[in-house]
Amino acid sequence: MAAAGEGEAERVSALLREITGEGGFAFVASADKAGAGDLRAAEAAREMAWEQLHSGPWSEVGTAWRDAYALACLNVARLRTHAASGGDSDRSAALRALDMGLIMGGNLLRADLEAALARISAEACGGSEGGEGVVDKEDQRWREALDRNRDIADALKILPANSLSCKKVERRSCISLEEFICNYFLRDTPVIISGTIEHWPARTKWKDIEYLKKVAGDRTVPVEVGKNYVCSEWKQELITFSQFLDRMSSTVCPSNLTYLAQHPLFEQIKELSEDIIVPEYCYAGGGELQSLNAWFGPEGTVTPLHHDPHHNILAQVLGRKYIRLYPAFIAEDLYPHTETMLSNTSQVDVDNIDLKEFPRVENLEFIDCILEEGDLLYIPPKWWHYVRSLSTSFSVSFWWRAAVQPSGGS
């Protein structure tokens, strides 16, 4: 891996001066030694920056220490790839360091982290493949998992009470941007749009588990473990993408379900971003894209009833999901959590509604749907939605902020 360029060196010098001003003398000393080739010093600097990232609430962590963590990760990766052994373990350690820099670090050295990742990928020789029979069996399990619960009768056995018995989300095919704006966006009305993403490379490539492993298998990603984020046993972990794929095929206990949820995967792994295209509907109202996130997990993953602040197009690339929606104006009848961190989430467990504790929910009208492969679902801001995967599922959410706000009426 090449040494730091002039532009990077200037950014690093300015950063180290800032860290010195904040009292980070030990970090700066270790970073200087790392720049001279000391791997132990690089790892020590990374540990110091990591401690700073966890010294208080994330919102209070200064950008300088996030940038310092990214610098330390970059140094560890460079020295790992130059290690005498130069084996797979050093390559894996370098990749993990760079991914952690992207996930937890600041933006100052993001381009340098991405360039380092690109160099490692270009230099890598293909790893050993499993036997043909092993690959065939794995591919068969993968495709079976994507195809589960296609029969409505089977789906209803695992869905919440009264599912698919009320008003359905309207379904349209290949509507124009103008029609979307006039009939749905300006009326603050959800709609399913089919037939518009069949040209995405992801629609075919992501069905091949070997492709996903080749492109992302050694990369580190954050995952959620447990029924959902409001459960006490819920936790987060950092694992490789290959480990995540293995868990999806082996986990059957809800408390151990592993979900890659609301993660900017496409910023982290550029090869996957080339497989998708921002739908033109996201430009409604002078749209400005706010975030593009991945939602990838096995059958049974649940996102509890909640609302989001932006316009949302949810693209169902692989598998199927059940989605239930409630309009924004009935928010108080859905008993939002009072804590600030969960104020956008309902206290009501849609899978097991306690009508004694939440009586106003009983007669609330909702609309729902099964989102099929290749569908887009428009969810207006503040609309409450509950989501359950009926099979292994890979979705992409496109959040955007509009300059022109909908009227909120139909």
Side-chain angles (χ1 to χ4, degrees):
M1 195 179 293
E6 183 177 341
E8 181 192 327
E10 291 176 357
R11 293 194 296 275
V12 169
S13 295
L15 172 62
L16 294 180
R17 286 195 296 272
E18 186 174 358
I19 293 296
T20 299
E22 294 190 12
F25 303 107
F27 175 88
V28 172
S30 293
D32 285 340
K33 290 179 181 178
D38 188 331
L39 177 58
R40 285 190 177 183
E43 291 176 337
R46 180 173 59 172
E47 186 62 30
M48 291 179 212
W50 180 260
E51 290 176 0
Q52 288 294 325
L53 297 187
H54 293 81
S55 61
W58 181 251
S59 59
E60 297 178 10
V61 176
T63 56
W65 277 109
R66 292 187 63 190
D67 289 331
Y69 181 73
L71 170 63
C73 289
L74 191 59
N75 284 333
V76 167
R78 284 176 171 152
L79 294 172
R80 281 288 183 184
T81 55
H82 287 150
S85 59
D88 289 342
S89 62
D90 285 309
R91 177 180 178 275
S92 295
L95 283 172
R96 181 177 175 83
L98 293 170
D99 276 324
M100 291 300 295
L102 288 175
I103 294 168
M104 302 293 290
N107 291 323
L108 181 69
L109 298 171
R110 188 172 189 88
D112 304 287
L113 291 164
E114 291 173 346
L117 278 162
R119 283 193 292 270
I120 290 179
S121 298
E123 293 166 1
C125 297
S128 60
E129 299 290 338
E132 185 176 340
V134 174
V135 172
D136 287 345
K137 286 183 178 179
E138 185 177 34
D139 182 68
Q140 182 180 352
R141 288 196 302 270
W142 173 249
R143 293 180 183 274
E144 287 174 352
L146 290 172
D147 210 38
R148 288 194 185 122
N149 293 307
R150 287 201 173 274
D151 186 273
I152 293 295
D154 291 334
L156 286 172
K157 294 175 184 176
I158 60 174
L159 291 179
N162 302 317
S163 295
L164 306 176
S165 64
C166 300
K167 183 180 178 183
K168 304 288 195 307
V169 179
E170 186 177 358
R171 178 178 287 274
R172 301 294 307 277
S173 177
C174 298
I175 59 174
S176 67
L177 176 59
E178 181 181 5
E179 187 173 358
F180 168 72
I181 291 173
C182 292
N183 293 338
Y184 304 101
F185 174 80
L186 291 177
R187 297 184 178 188
D188 211 24
T189 301
V191 63
I192 295 171
I193 306 170
S194 62
T196 61
I197 65 169
E198 295 308 312
H199 61 294
W200 284 13
R203 289 284 291 117
T204 53
K205 285 185 175 182
W206 295 0
K207 289 183 178 180
D208 181 357
I209 192 170
E210 290 304 312
Y211 169 77
L212 293 176
K213 285 187 173 183
K214 179 182 177 181
V215 169
D218 292 333
R219 305 294 298 276
T220 296
V221 292
V223 296
E224 301 178 358
V225 181
K227 181 182 176 183
N228 61 58
Y229 64 77
V230 296
C231 294
S232 58
E233 67 273 14
W234 177 88
K235 61 183 178 179
Q236 293 176 296
E237 295 180 4
L238 289 159
I239 60 177
T240 67
F241 201 81
S242 284
Q243 289 172 326
F244 170 60
L245 292 172
D246 290 341
R247 282 199 197 180
M248 280 204 294
S249 63
S250 61
T251 301
V252 293
C253 178
S255 63
N256 290 322
L257 280 176
T258 303
Y259 195 15
L260 197 161
Q262 198 170 344
H263 175 56
L265 184 68
F266 310 103
E267 291 182 16
Q268 182 188 352
I269 303 177
K270 297 298 185 182
E271 294 91 336
L272 291 176
S273 71
E274 296 170 1
D275 295 337
I276 60 174
I277 301 166
V278 177
E280 66 172 349
Y281 308 111
C282 297
Y283 300 106
E288 180 183 343
L289 202 64
Q290 298 297 300
S291 65
L292 195 164
N293 289 318
W295 306 79
F296 188 19
E299 172 192 352
T301 51
V302 169
T303 302
L305 189 61
H306 72 289
H307 68 79
D308 299 312
H310 299 297
H311 298 274
N312 181 10
I313 288 284
L314 182 65
Q316 189 63 24
V317 183
L318 298 180
R320 309 164 77 240
K321 280 181 170 171
Y322 169 80
I323 302 177
R324 178 179 295 194
L325 301 110
Y326 295 85
F329 66 81
I330 63 170
E332 290 307 310
D333 292 331
L334 293 174
Y335 302 88
H337 281 272
T338 54
E339 308 98 290
T340 302
M341 289 292 291
L342 290 174
S343 60
N344 74 324
T345 302
S346 171
Q347 298 179 63
V348 177
D349 181 355
V350 174
D351 289 300
N352 187 24
I353 298 175
D354 186 341
L355 293 176
K356 289 184 179 180
E357 188 172 2
F358 309 114
R360 296 197 302 273
V361 177
E362 184 172 14
N363 296 314
L364 290 180
E365 291 189 0
F366 59 83
I367 58 175
D368 62 357
C369 66
I370 291 180
L371 204 61
E372 305 282 357
E373 281 191 2
D375 285 345
L376 302 178
L377 172 64
Y378 169 58
I379 305 175
K382 304 288 186 178
W383 269 70
W384 294 79
H385 47 290
Y386 158 96
V387 185
R388 173 180 279 273
S389 295
L390 298 175
S391 67
T392 290
S393 169
F394 202 152
S395 313
V396 182
S397 62
F398 299 84
W399 281 9
W400 81 96
R401 182 170 55 197
V404 177
Q405 296 302 318
S407 63
S410 56

